[in-house]
Amino acid sequence: MKIIAVDNLNREYIADKHILGGIPNASEHQAKAQEFCDWANSFGCSDFYGMFYRVVENDYRLSRGMEDLI
């Protein structure tokens, strides 16, 4: 599992950000990762304006923003 930040407005030209990887695939670790995402999303704690934190599988392909469009 990993935590990523995606654009809040789902704009195709904004790249996803990898925040934290290597989260074990156990329910207690997933719950803590989701708790962090919920906390960060509720307070707007983001270095990246307009980003939404979420937990995804390790094989999730991050959007590269404009690189994917060109």
Side-chain angles (χ1 to χ4, degrees), residues 28-65:
E28 64 270 7
H29 296 290
Q30 290 177 8
K32 286 292 184 186
Q34 187 59 53
E35 184 179 334
F36 169 80
C37 291
D38 293 342
W39 175 81
N41 290 330
S42 69
F43 288 105
C45 298
S46 174
D47 293 333
F48 314 106
Y49 181 76
M51 300 303 268
F52 179 78
Y53 293 96
R54 49 186 260 200
V55 180
V56 295
E57 296 291 330
N58 280 329
D59 61 349
Y60 179 86
R61 183 188 173 280
L62 295 174
S63 167
R64 296 180 303 167

Side-chain angles (χ1 to χ4, degrees), residues 4-28:
I4 64 168
V6 297
D7 181 54
N8 236 1
L9 301 175
N10 202 24
R11 295 171 287 196
E12 293 178 346
Y13 57 90
I14 305 290
D16 295 345
K17 308 289 183 197
H18 183 263
I19 305 300
L20 178 70
I23 300 169
N25 200 11
S27 60
E28 64 270 7

Side-chain angles (χ1 to χ4, degrees), residues 64-70:
R64 296 180 303 167
M66 284 302 289
E67 286 184 49
D68 285 345
L69 298 175
I70 296 176

